[in-house]
C-alpha cells in the first residue's frame, strides 16, 4: 500500500507564511484580530453543539469530538473540541484531498462537496474517529475548510466496539475510509450511507445518525464562514487566519524561551499488546534549547502484532493533549502551537508501526505519553513562572467496557460505557491534592452519563458506582481517586462485552517528586450466578465496592480476576462485570502529608485504615477521629529510620539493580533487554 | 380572561438596588431604592413608599387599592453562595452515595468560564452542600421499568437515619434511582422519618423527596434540584414569610406573588427556592416579550448591560420560548425548566488588559473592577483601566453627570490608567486605546448575541434589540453592529426594566414528569398504539394543576393550558422541546401532528439533514403549563412635537469617534426630549441613569410612547428591515 509519509509527518506543521498572507495580516485594523478570532471560535462552537445535540454516540457526549476551521491550505486556524487530539487530526486529510483529489477530474473539489474519512493513516488516531470535511467557497474560489469529527464506538471489526483488543492487523479492524466524497451539491449520497450502514451492521442506527450529525455541523460552519467572507472579503480571512497561527507560534516560543535549558527524562511501561500480556517500554527524552523543544521517544519497544500501538500522527496528537492541557493551556488553539515543537518518533516502534499494523487501540498505547510529558514538563516548569501548572496529569486509558447487544427496546446497540470512560482521577499538583473522578483525560470536559441514562438505553443495572477506595496515588498531596463500578446484565438473556486498558498489572503513571503512582485495577467478572436473586431476597451484605466484592464475595458464582483488556465475552442475565478506573498519581513524600488530611481521606472513604497507618504512618482515635500528634510523629520517625536503614550508595545500588531482569515471558514483545531494540520480525497476514 | 385592577406594584430586589414599577389607574411610575440586605422588606417598603409619593397618594391608600404585588429577589442565590443553608442528611440508593460529589465527573467545570475550565492544573470541585459524612446509602433498588429489584431494608434505613440525627442534621433529602417511575421507597422513607422523629421530638425536620420535587429522569440533576430546594428552603421561608407583613398591616389584602424563572409567578407557599433563581432577568425577558408584542416586533433580543455583566434574552416569533435545560445554579447542575437568559462578564467595570504573551492581544473582561474599587475614574483605588474609563476618555460619559451627578468621575485618572496599561504597551494614543477597549467589549457582547441567536437557529439580522441597563444605551450601537442588528429600542423605565417586566407576567404553574414513550417504534416504525400512556400522563398533570389553582381560589375555567413535550430521535441524549398541537391523542393523525411539530422544531434548530425518524422517535418528558392571564400595563402615547430636538439641546463637548477623531458633539438632556424628536449621530443624550451614545451612522428618534429608537442609517454593510417607528397595538393616544 502506498502511503505519502512525507505528507503525514510534515502535515501537522503550518505552512510558512506567504508574502500575500503577511500583507493581508498587515492590513488588519486594530481590534480585528481580537474580535474576529473570537468570532471564528463561536462559529466552530456552533458546529460542535449541533453535532453533539444531533448525535448518539457516547463519545459525542464524552467529548471525543471536534469542529474546526482550516486555511485554504489545510492548516488549523481554530477549533472547538472535547479533545486536543483533534487539533492535529483534521489537517492531513485536507492536505491529502488538496494534493491528490483537487485536480483529479474523477473527484475534484467543488462547492457543496462533502468528504468523509476514518482511516488513521491519513492523520487520524484510529478508525473509530470519523470526520466530515467540507470545502468553503466564496463564489468559485476555495477560501477555507471545515472539519467536524467524533469517535464512534463501532467500526465493523472482528470484535464489537471499534477498539479491537484481539486485532492482529488492520484487516481485523473494520471500515477504514480514505478521504472520499460522500456528498455533492450539499446532498449526501444514499448509496454511500447504505454502504456504511452495511459495514456497521452492529449499530446501523448510530452510524447513519452520527454521519448526519457531523455533516450537518460541518455545513453550518461552512455557511457561517461564507457569510463572514462575503461581509469582510476573502483577503480579510487570509490575514486573520495567518495572524491567528502566527501569534500562537510566537507566544509558544516566548514561553519556551523563558524556561531553563536542559534535558528531561522519564520512562513508563505498558503491560499488554491487546491480545497478550507483555512488558512494553516507552521512554521520553525532552530537550529544551532556546525557544524550541524536542520530544524524543527513542528507545520505545518495537512494534508487535497487537492493536495497542499508534501511528506517529496519533502519537503526536496525544502529545498535543498534554501541551494544550498544561504548559500552553492559555493559548489559542491553532496549528501555530506545534511550530516550535519537534518530534522524534522511531518508525517501527509501537509509537509508529508499519501501516499494515493493527492500531484500533492506539489511544491506549499513545496515552502513555500523558504521564511522560506530564513528568518532564513538571520538572521543566517547576523553576519557572508556570510552577502552578505542575501536575502529573493522569494515566488515561480512554478505556471503558464496550457493550454489544439487542437492548430491551429490541434495538441493536454497540457502544462504550460512558461513565467509566469519564471517571479517572487527576494527579496531585504542587500545592494541592488531585481531583477525584475528575473526568476523561483525553477529553477533560466530557460529561459522564447518569445511571438512569445508561439503564434506559442499555440492558444493565448498576450494582455500585462510587469513588474507588485506595485508587489514588499517595503523597504529600494525593492524587484524585478513580471510580469503583460494576454492572449486572439485565432485561435480556445475554450481552457481549469487551474492554481495553493499557495497564492492569503495572501502573503506567508515576507519582511526582516522591509521590506514589496510582493503583492499577484488575478486570472483574462474576459468572454463573444471578445477582438479582440476592437483591430480591433482601440480602443485606450485597457488595458496595470492588474491595467488598473481592474480599468476601457474597453473591455466589465464580469470580474472575483478569486483565482489563478483554476480548469479547458473553455475559448472561444476572452476571456481573466490573468497570472500575484508576486514580491519579501523588506528589511528594507521604510522610509530609498533613495527618488531618489523612484522617479526612479515611472518613470520606478515599483510603483504608491500612493505608492511613502503614503508608501515611498516622495514629488516630478510631472513635473520635482525633489525630495523635505524638503517636504520628513516632510512627513517622520510625519509618524514616527504616528508610535510612534500607539506603544504599549509588555504586551498590547499580550493582544490584543492573543485574535484575524481568522474566522472559514478560519480555517477548519488549525488544532486546534493556534497550528495547528490535529483536524479531513481525509477520502480518 | 383578563381581570380589571386598580393598582399593581412590581418589585425587583437586586443585590444593590430595589426597583419598583407601580401602576395606579393606568398611571405608571418607577423608582429605585437601596436594597436593605439585612432585612429585605425595609428596602421594599421604602420603594413602594417612594412610588406612592410619585403617584401622589398615601401609601395606605395605594396598598388598599392594590390588586397584586409581585416581586423577584436574588435571595436564594445569595444564601447559596454564602453557604447559609442548614445541616442536611442525604439518603441515596446504596452504592451510589457519591453521585452529588462526582457530579457527572466534570462538576468542577460547571459554572466556570472557559478560560478557567481549560486550566486543568488549577481545577477543583466546589465544596459540597452536603458533605460525604452526611450522605448514606440505603438498601433498596428500582430498575428502569419501575420494578422493585431490591426491597427497602427498613432496619438498615432506621439505623442510618439515627446516625444522621446523631450527626446533628436538621433535615433530610431522599433521592433514589428511578424514583420518578416508582416513588414507593422514597415515600416510605418519608413516612418512617416523620413517624420516628415527629416535630415534637427534635423540632421539625423536613423531608424532601426527589420524586416529588423533580419527578424527572437523570439522578444527578434531580438530586441536586432536591438538595438545593432543601438547602434554601429554610432561609427563604424565614426571610420571606414576613416580607409582606408591614404591607398587609398598611392595607394590602392580596397574596404576595413571587416571580418564577419559569416565566410566571405564584405565592410564596407555592414557590420552591430554585424557582426564584434568576427571576429578575426572566421578568425582564417577559417584559420584552410583552412590549415586543405591543409594538409588533416578533423577534427581539433583550440586552442588559450593567457594571459587571451583560444579560441576553431572546423573544423569537413572538414567544420567549427558550428554556435552559439542566441549568447550572452557582456550581450545581439542576433539573429545572428555567426561561433561557444568558450572561457574560462584560460591563462598565470590565477590566482591559494587554496579553503580552499572545502578540499584545488586547483583552477586555471577564474580570471586573466591580463597584469597589471600581473604574480608575471612580478615584476609589482602582488603577486598572475599565470600559467606563474608556467612555470617559472618549468624551461620551460626562464626568460631572454620572448617575445624575451622584458619582463624580476623574477623567485624569481614567486617562492615566489607559495610557499606562494599554496605550503605552500598544504604542497608540490614549484615545485610540480607549476606542479599542470599547470596540472589543462591544465586539464581545455583539458576538454573544450573535452566538445566542444562531445557536437557537435564528438570524440576528431578523431581530430588533432592546437596550436596557445603565450601560446598555451607552454601548448598544457598538454591540448591535457587531451582532449585525440595525434597530435598537430603549424605554424610559429601562433602568427598572425587570420590575416593569414582572408587571406583564401571568400566574403560571409548570408541571413536569418523565414518561418514556416510543411515539415511533425504532424496529417496526409503527406509531404507538398505547394512547393511554400519553393521555394518563397528561391527565395526571392536569389534575395537579387544577388542584393547585383551585386551592389558590382560581376558577378552573380560567386556566389556559399548554402541553410541551421533550422529544428526540432514537438513542439521542439531547431532547428538543416542542409545543404539542394536541392535549390528548386518540388517533394516528394526532400522533403524526406531534411528530410533525417535533421535526419542525428540530429542523429549525439544527438542520433538516439531521431528521432521522428511522431511528424511532421518543417522548421523554411531559411539561404542562397552566396559566391564569393577568391584565397588563397599558402604554399611553403623546402627540408628536416634531423632529427638532432644540429644546433638549444643552451644548456641545469634544468626543472622539472612529474614523473621525475628536469632534465637537451635540449633547442633549433625555428628560427634555419630546415624541417625534430626531437626532442624527454623532450625538450624546444624557439621562439620570444612563448616557445614550448615538454613533456616527445612527439616528435616534423619540417614539410617541416615550421610547427611543436607534436606527442604522449607513446601509453599506448591513441589511435593514422595516425601519419605521412602530406603534404599540394596545396603546392609547
Amino acid at each position: 500500500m502506498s502511503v505519502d509519509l512525507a505528507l503525514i509527518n510534515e502535515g501537522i506543521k503550518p505552512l510558512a507564511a506567504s508574502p500575500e498572507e503577511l500583507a493581508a495580516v498587515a492590513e488588519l485594523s486594530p481590534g480585528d484580530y481580537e474580535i474576529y478570532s473570537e468570532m471564528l471560535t463561536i462559529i466552530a462552537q456552533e458546529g460542535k453543539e449541533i453535532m453533539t445535540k444531533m448525535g448518539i454516540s457516547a463519545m459525542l457526549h464524552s467529548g471525543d469530538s471536534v469542529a474546526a476551521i482550516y486555511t485554504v491550505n489545510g492548516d488549523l486556524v481554530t477549533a472547538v473540541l472535547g479533545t486536543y487530539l483533534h487539533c492535529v487530526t483534521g489537517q492531513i486529510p485536507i492536505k491529502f484531498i488538496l494534493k491528490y483529489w483537487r485536480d483529479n477530474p474523477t473527484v475534484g473539489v467543488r462547492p457543496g462537496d462533502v468528504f468523509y474519512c476514518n482511516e488513521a493513516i491519513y492523520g487520524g488516531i484510529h478508525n473509530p474517529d470519523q470526520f466530515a470535511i467540507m470545502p468553503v467557497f466564496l463564489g468559485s474560489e476555495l477560501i477555507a475548510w471545515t472539519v467536524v469529527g467524533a469517535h464512534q464506538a463501532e467500526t465493523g471489526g472482528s470484535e464489537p466496539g471499534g477498539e479491537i483488543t484481539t486485532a492482529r492487523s488492520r484487516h481485523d479492524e473494520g471500515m477504514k475510509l480514505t478521504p472520499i466524497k460522500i456528498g455533492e451539491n450539499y446532498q449526501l449520497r444514499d448509496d454511500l450511507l447504505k454502504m456504511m450502514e452495511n459495514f456497521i451492521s452492529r449499530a446501523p442506527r448510530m452510524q447513519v445518525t452520527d454521519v448526519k450529525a457531523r455533516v450537518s455541523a460541518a455545513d453550518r460552519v461552512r455557511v457561517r464562514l461564507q457569510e463572514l467572507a462575503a461581509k469582510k472579503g476573502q483577503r480579510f480571512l487570509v490575514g486573520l487566519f495567518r495572524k491567528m497561527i502566527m501569534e500562537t507560534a510566537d507566544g509558544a516560543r516566548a514561553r519556551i524561551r523563558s524556561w531553563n535549558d536542559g534535558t528531561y527524562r522519564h520512562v513508563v511501561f505498558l503491560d499488554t499488546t491487546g491480545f497478550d500480556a507483555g512488558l512494553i517500554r516507552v521512554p521520553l527524552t525532552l530537550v529544551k534549547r532556546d525557544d524550541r523543544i524536542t520530544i524524543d521517544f527513542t528507545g520505545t519497544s518495537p512494534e508487535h502484532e497487537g492493536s495497542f500501538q499508534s501511528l506517529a500522527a496519533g502519537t503526536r496528537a496525544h502529545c498535543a493533549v498534554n501541551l494544550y492541557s498544561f504548559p500552553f493551556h492559555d493559548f489559542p488553539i491553532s496549528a501555530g502551537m506545534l511550530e516550535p515543537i519537534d518530534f522524534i518518533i522511531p518508525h517501527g516502534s509501537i509509537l509508529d508501526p508499519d501501516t499494515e499494523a493493527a492500531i484500533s487501540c492506539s489511544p491506549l498505547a499513545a496515552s502513555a505519553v500523558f504521564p511522560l510529558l506530564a513528568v518532564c514538563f513538571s520538572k521543566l516548569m517547576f523553576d519557572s513562572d508556570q510552577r502552578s501548572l505542575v501536575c502529573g496529569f493522569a494515566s488515561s486509558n480512554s478505556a471503558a467496557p464496550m457493550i454489544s447487544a439487542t437492548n430491551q427496546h429490541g434495538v441493536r446497540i454497540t457502544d462504550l460505557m460512558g461513565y467509566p470512560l469519564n471517571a479517572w482521577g487527576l494527579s496531585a499538583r504542587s500545592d494541592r491534592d488531585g481531583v477525584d473522578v475528575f473526568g476523561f483525560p483525553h477529553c477533560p470536559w466530557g460529561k459522564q452519563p447518569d445511571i438512569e441514562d445508561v439503564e434506559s438505553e442499555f440492558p444493565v443495572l448498576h450494582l455500585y458506582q462510587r469513588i474507588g477506595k485506595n485508587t489514588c496515588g499517595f503523597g504529600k498531596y494525593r492524587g484524585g481517586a478513580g471510580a469503583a463500578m460494576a454492572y449486572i446484565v439485565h432485561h435480556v438473556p445475554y450481552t457481549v462485552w469487551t474492554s481495553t486498558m493499557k495497564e492492569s498489572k503495572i501502573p503506567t503513571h508515576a507519582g511526582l517528586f516522591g509521590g506514589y503512582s496510582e493503583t492499577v485495577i484488575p478486570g472483574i467478572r462474576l459468572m454463573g450466578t444471578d445477582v438479582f436473586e440476592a437483591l430480591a431476597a433482601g440480602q443485606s451484605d450485597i457488595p458496595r465496592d470492588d474491595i467488598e466484592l473481592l474480599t468476601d464475595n457474597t453473591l455466589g458464582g465464580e469470580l474472575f480476576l483478569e486483565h482489563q483488556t478483554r476480548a469479547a465475552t458473553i455475559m448472561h442475565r444476572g452476571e456481573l462485570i466490573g468497570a472500575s478506573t484508576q486514580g491519579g498519581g501523588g506528589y511528594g513524600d507521604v510522610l509530609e502529608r498533613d495527618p488531618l488530611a489523612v484522617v479526612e481521606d479515611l472518613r470520606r472513604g478515599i483510603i483504608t485504615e491500612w493505608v492511613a497507618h502503614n503508608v501515611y504512618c498516622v495514629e488516630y482515635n478510631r472513635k473520635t477521629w482525633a489525630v495523635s500528634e505524638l503517636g504520628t510523629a513516632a510512627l513517622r520517625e520510625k519509618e524514616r529510620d527504616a528508610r535510612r536503614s534500607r539506603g544504599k550508595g549509588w555504586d551498590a545500588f547499580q550493582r544490584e539493580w543492573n543485574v535484575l531482569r524481568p522474566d522472559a515471558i514478560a519480555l517477548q514483545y519488549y525488544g532486546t533487554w534493556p534497550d528495547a531494540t528490535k529483536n524479531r520480525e513481525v509477520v502480518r497476514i | 380572561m383578563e381581570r380589571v385592577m386598580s393598582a399593581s406594584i412590581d418589585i425587583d430586589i437586586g443585590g444593590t438596588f430595589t426597583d419598583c414599577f407601580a401602576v395606579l389607574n393606568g398611571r405608571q411610575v418607577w423608582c429605585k431604592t437601596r436594597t436593605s440586605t439585612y432585612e429585605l422588606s425595609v428596602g421594599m417598603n421604602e420603594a413602594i413608599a417612594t412610588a406612592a409619593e410619585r403617584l401622589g397618594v398615601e401609601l395606605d391608600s395605594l396598598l388598599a387599592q392594590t390588586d397584586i404585588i409581585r416581586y423577584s429577589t436574588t435571595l436564594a442565590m445569595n444564601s447559596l453562595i454564602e453557604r447559609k443553608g442548614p445541616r442536611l442528611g442525604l439518603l441515596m440508593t446504596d452504592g451510589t452515595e457519591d453521585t452529588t460529589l462526582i457530579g457527572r465527573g466534570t462538576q468542577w467545570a460547571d459554572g466556570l468560564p472557559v478560560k478557567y475550565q481549560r486550566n486543568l492544573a488549577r481545577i477543583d470541585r466546589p465544596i459540597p452542600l452536603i458533605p460525604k459524612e452526611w450522605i448514606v446509602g440505603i438498601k433498596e433498588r428500582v430498575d428502569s421499568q419501575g420494578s422493585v429489584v431490591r426491597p427497602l431494608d427498613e432496619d438498615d434505613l432506621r439505623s442510618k437515619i439515627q446516625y444522621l440525627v446523631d450527626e446533628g442534621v436538621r433535615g433530610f433529602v431522599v433521592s433514589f434511582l428511578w424514583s420518578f417511575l416508582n416513588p414507593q421507597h422514597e415515600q416510605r422513607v418519608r413516612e418512617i422519618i416523620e413517624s420516628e422523629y415527629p416535630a415534637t421530638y427534635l423540632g421539625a425536620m423536613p423531608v424532601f423527596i426527589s420524586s416529588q420535587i423533580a419527578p424527572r429522569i437523570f439522578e444527578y440533576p434531580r438530586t441536586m434540584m432536591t438538595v438545593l430546594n432543601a438547602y434554601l428552603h429554610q432561609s427563604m421561608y424565614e426571610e420571606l414569610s414576613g416580607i409582606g407583613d408591614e404591607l398587609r398591616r398598611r392595607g394590602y389584602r392580596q397574596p404576595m406573588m413571587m416571580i418564577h424563572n419559569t416565566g410566571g409567578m405564584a405565592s410564596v407557599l407555592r414557590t420552591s427556592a430554585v424557582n426564584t433563581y434568576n427571576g429578575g432577568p426572566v421578568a425582564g425577558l417577559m417584559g420584552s416579550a410583552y412590549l415586543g408584542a405591543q409594538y409588533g416586533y416578533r423577534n427581539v433580543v433583550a440586552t442588559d448591560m450593567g457594571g459587571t455583566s451583560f444579560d441576553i434574552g431572546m423573544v423569537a416569533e413572538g414567544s420567549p420560548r427558550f428554556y435552559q435545560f439542566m441549568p447550572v445554579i452557582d456550581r450545581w447542575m439542576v433539573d429545572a425548566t428555567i426561561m433561557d437568559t444568558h450572561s457574560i462578564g462584560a460591563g462598565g467595570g470590565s477590566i482591559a488588559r494587554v496579553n503580552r504573551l499572545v502578540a499584545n492581544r488586547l483583552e477586555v473582561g471577564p474580570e471586573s473592577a466591580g463597584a469597589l474599587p471600581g473604574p480608575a475614574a471612580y478615584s476609589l483605588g482602582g488603577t486598572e483601566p475599565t470600559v467606563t474609563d474608556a467612555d470617559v476618555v472618549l468624551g461620551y460619559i460626562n464626568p460631572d453627570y454620572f448617575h445624575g451627578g451622584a458619582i463624580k468621575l476623574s477623567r485624569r485618572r481614567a486617562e492615566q490608567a489607559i495610557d499606562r496599561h494599554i496605550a503605552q504597551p500598544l504604542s497608540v494614543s490614549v484615545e485610540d486605546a480607549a476606542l479599542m477597549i470599547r470596540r472589543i467589549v462591544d465586539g464581545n457582547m455583539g458576538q454573544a448575541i450573535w452566538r445566542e441567536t444562531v445557536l437557537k437557529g435564528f438570524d440576528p439580522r431578523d431581530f430588533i434589540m432592546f437596550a436596557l441597563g445603565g450601560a446598555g444605551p451607552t454601548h448598544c450601537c457598538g454591540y448591535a453592529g457587531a451582532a449585525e442588528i440595525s434597530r435598537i429600542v430603549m424605554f424610559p423605565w429601562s433602568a427598572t426594566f425587570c420590575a416593569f417586566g414582572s408587571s406583564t407576567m401571568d400566574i403560571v404553574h409548570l408541571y413536569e414528569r418523565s414518561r418514556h414513550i416510543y411515539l415511533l417504534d425504532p424496529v417496526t416504525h409503527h406509531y404507538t398504539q398505547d394512547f393511554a400512556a400519553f393521555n394518563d400522563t397528561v391527565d395526571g398533570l392536569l389534575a395537579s394543576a387544577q388542584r393547585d389553582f383551585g386551592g389558590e381560589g382560581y376558577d378552573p375555567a380560567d386556566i389556559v393550558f399548554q402541553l410541551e413535550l421533550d422529544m428526540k430521535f432514537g438513542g439521542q441524549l439531547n431532547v428538543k422541546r416542542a409545543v404539542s398541537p394536541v392535549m390528548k391523542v386518540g388517533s394516528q393523525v394526532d400522533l403524526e401532528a406531534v411528530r410533525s411539530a417535533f421535526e419542525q422544531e428540530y429542523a429549525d434548530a439544527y438542520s433538516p439533514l439531521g431528521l432521522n425518524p428511522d431511528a424511532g422517535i421518543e417522548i421523554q418528558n411531559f411539561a404542562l403549563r397552566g396559566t391564569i392571564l393577568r391584565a397588563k400595563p397599558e402604554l399611553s402615547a403623546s402627540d408628536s412635537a416634531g423632529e427638532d430636538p432644540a429644546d433638549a439641546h444643552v451644548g456641545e463637548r469634544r468626543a472622539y469617534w472612529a474614523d473621525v477623531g475628536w469632534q465637537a458633539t451635540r449633547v442633549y438632556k433625555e428628560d427634555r426630549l419630546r415624541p417625534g424628536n430626531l437626532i442624527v449621530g454623532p450625538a450624546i443624550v444624557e439621562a439620570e441613569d444612563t448616557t445614550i451614545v448615538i454613533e456616527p451612522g445612527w439616528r435616534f428618534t423619540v417614539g410617541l410612547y416615550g421610547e427611543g429608537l436607534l436606527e442604522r442609517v449607513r446601509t453599506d454593510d448591513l441589511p435593514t428591515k422595516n425601519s419605521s417607528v412602530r406603534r404599540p397595538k394596545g396603546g392609547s393616544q
Side-chain angles (χ1 to χ4, degrees), chain A residues 186-257:
Chain A
Y186 309 108
Q187 289 285 321
L188 287 175
R189 284 181 50 173
D190 285 341
D191 55 341
L192 294 177
L193 280 178
K194 184 59 79 177
M195 177 198 76
M196 291 188 206
E197 205 175 19
N198 192 46
F199 270 122
I200 316 295
S201 57
R202 289 193 193 102
R205 179 176 76 174
M206 177 167 71
Q207 178 65 31
V208 174
T209 303
D210 285 1
V211 168
K212 289 181 174 181
R214 292 181 186 93
V215 173
S216 298
D219 192 51
R220 183 67 65 88
V221 176
R222 189 264 311 167
V223 167
R224 297 298 180 209
L225 284 174
Q226 280 179 332
E227 289 174 349
L228 184 60
K231 178 182 163 194
K232 302 295 291 185
Q234 183 254 356
R235 192 170 170 79
F236 177 86
L237 280 192
V238 168
L240 179 65
F241 286 177
R242 176 48 64 178
K243 189 170 174 73
M244 290 173 71
I245 293 171
M246 285 168 53
E247 301 309 351
T248 309
D250 291 348
R253 278 198 301 273
R255 178 164 291 178
I256 293 169
R257 194 181 301 115

Side-chain angles (χ1 to χ4, degrees), chain A residues 30 35 54 209 220 544, chain B residues 97 141 439 447 572 606 612:
Chain A
I35 292 170
M54 292 178 65
T209 303
R220 183 67 65 88
R544 303 166 71 245
Chain B
E97 299 93 315
R141 188 66 151 93
R439 189 174 174 218
Q447 284 170 355
Q572 290 180 322
Y606 308 132
N612 195 22

Side-chain angles (χ1 to χ4, degrees), chain B residues 357-385:
Chain B
L357 200 61
V358 188
N360 279 347
R361 179 187 170 115
L362 178 58
E363 296 170 349
V364 184
E367 294 82 5
S368 172
L372 195 68
Y378 279 20
S379 302
L380 293 174
T383 57
E384 293 192 280

Side-chain angles (χ1 to χ4, degrees), chain A residues 391 393-394 423-429 432-439 467 472 478-482 582-585 604 606, chain B residues 101-102 105-109 119-126:
Chain A
C391 177
F393 196 16
W424 302 83
L426 181 70
S427 295
R429 287 69 68 88
R432 66 185 77 179
D433 290 346
V435 178
D436 300 331
V437 199
F438 101 103
I467 292 173
C472 60
R478 68 165 176 85
Q582 296 159 198
R604 294 178 52 212
I606 305 292
Chain B
L101 306 174
I102 294 172
T106 48
Q107 179 194 59
W108 50 265
N119 190 357
L120 292 186
R122 298 284 91 189
I123 60 169
D124 279 309
R125 290 193 180 284

Side-chain angles (χ1 to χ4, degrees), chain A residues 223-539:
Chain A
V223 167
R224 297 298 180 209
L225 284 174
Q226 280 179 332
E227 289 174 349
L228 184 60
K231 178 182 163 194
K232 302 295 291 185
Q234 183 254 356
R235 192 170 170 79
F236 177 86
L237 280 192
V238 168
L240 179 65
F241 286 177
R242 176 48 64 178
K243 189 170 174 73
M244 290 173 71
I245 293 171
M246 285 168 53
E247 301 309 351
T248 309
D250 291 348
R253 278 198 301 273
R255 178 164 291 178
I256 293 169
R257 194 181 301 115
S258 72
W259 295 333
N260 297 324
D261 282 356
T263 300
Y264 304 83
R265 293 190 177 87
H266 190 46
V267 61
V268 298
F269 299 89
L270 283 59
D271 60 25
T272 182
T273 62
F275 68 93
D276 197 6
L279 196 64
I280 306 289
R281 182 171 85 154
V282 186
L284 169 63
T285 303
L286 186 151
V287 179
K288 186 268 163 181
R289 293 276 181 276
D290 302 324
D291 61 358
R292 298 196 74 80
I293 281 176
T294 302
I295 292 173
D296 181 355
F297 294 108
T298 300
T300 298
S301 286
E303 63 181 283
H304 50 65
E305 293 85 348
S307 58
F308 276 57
Q309 41 197 357
S310 167
L311 297 170
T315 302
R316 283 188 289 262
H318 279 76
C319 293
V321 173
N322 268 79
L323 296 168
Y324 271 121
S325 296
F326 293 96
F328 305 111
H329 73 91
D330 46 349
F331 280 57
I333 302 166
S334 82
M337 195 276 290
L338 290 174
E339 193 276 329
I341 312 285
D342 299 311
F343 294 91
I344 299 174
I345 303 172
H347 186 57
S349 72
I350 69 142
L351 296 183
D352 189 23
D354 186 82
T355 49
E356 284 291 303
I359 47 92
S360 57
C361 291
S362 65
L364 285 301
S367 59
V369 311
F370 289 178
L372 286 171
L373 266 70
V375 170
C376 287
F377 270 101
S378 288
K379 293 174 179 175
L380 179 56
M381 295 189 297
F382 188 83
D383 180 31
S384 80
D385 290 343
Q386 280 73 46
R387 183 183 292 188
S388 66
L389 305 183
V390 166
C391 177
F393 196 16
S395 179
S396 181
N397 273 284
S398 61
M402 285 163 279
I403 185 174
S404 187
T406 298
N407 73 5
Q408 58 267 48
H409 309 297
V411 178
R412 287 215 66 178
I413 50 102
T414 297
D415 209 343
L416 281 161
M417 303 307 281
Y419 193 99
L421 186 75
N422 289 276
W424 302 83
L426 181 70
S427 295
R429 287 69 68 88
S430 63
D431 59 353
R432 66 185 77 179
D433 290 346
V435 178
D436 300 331
V437 199
F438 101 103
F440 179 23
H442 277 78
C443 317
W445 309 285
K447 293 266 181 223
Q448 300 159 347
D450 282 358
I451 289 174
E452 291 172 353
D453 180 15
V454 174
E455 292 185 358
S456 65
E457 200 62 29
F458 299 109
V460 297
L461 182 131
H462 296 64
L463 189 63
Y464 50 81
Q465 181 170 282
R466 59 192 309 149
I467 292 173
K469 204 171 278 185
N470 283 355
T471 53
C472 60
F474 313 123
K476 176 181 180 180
Y477 301 110
R478 68 165 176 85
M485 50 188 311
Y487 305 108
I488 310 167
V489 178
H490 194 25
H491 300 305
V492 298
Y494 67 92
T495 55
V496 177
W497 295 80
T498 69
S499 64
T500 53
M501 182 86 84
K502 69 176 179 292
E503 64 208 298
S504 209
K505 298 173 184 296
I506 299 170
T508 300
H509 192 280
L512 265 177
F513 305 138
Y516 279 41
S517 71
E518 90 255 304
T519 307
V520 289
I521 308 285
I524 299 172
R525 271 187 299 137
L526 187 61
M527 309 283 280
T529 189
D530 184 350
V531 178
F532 287 103
E533 289 180 2
L535 290 167
Q539 192 173 310

Side-chain angles (χ1 to χ4, degrees), chain B residues 15 59 77 180 182 189 214 254 397 419 460 491 527-528 628 710:
Chain B
L59 175 61
M77 191 64 183
F180 69 94
N182 181 348
V189 171
Q254 304 299 326
I397 288 179
D419 183 41
F491 305 95
Y527 284 97
T528 181
I628 299 283
L710 270 166

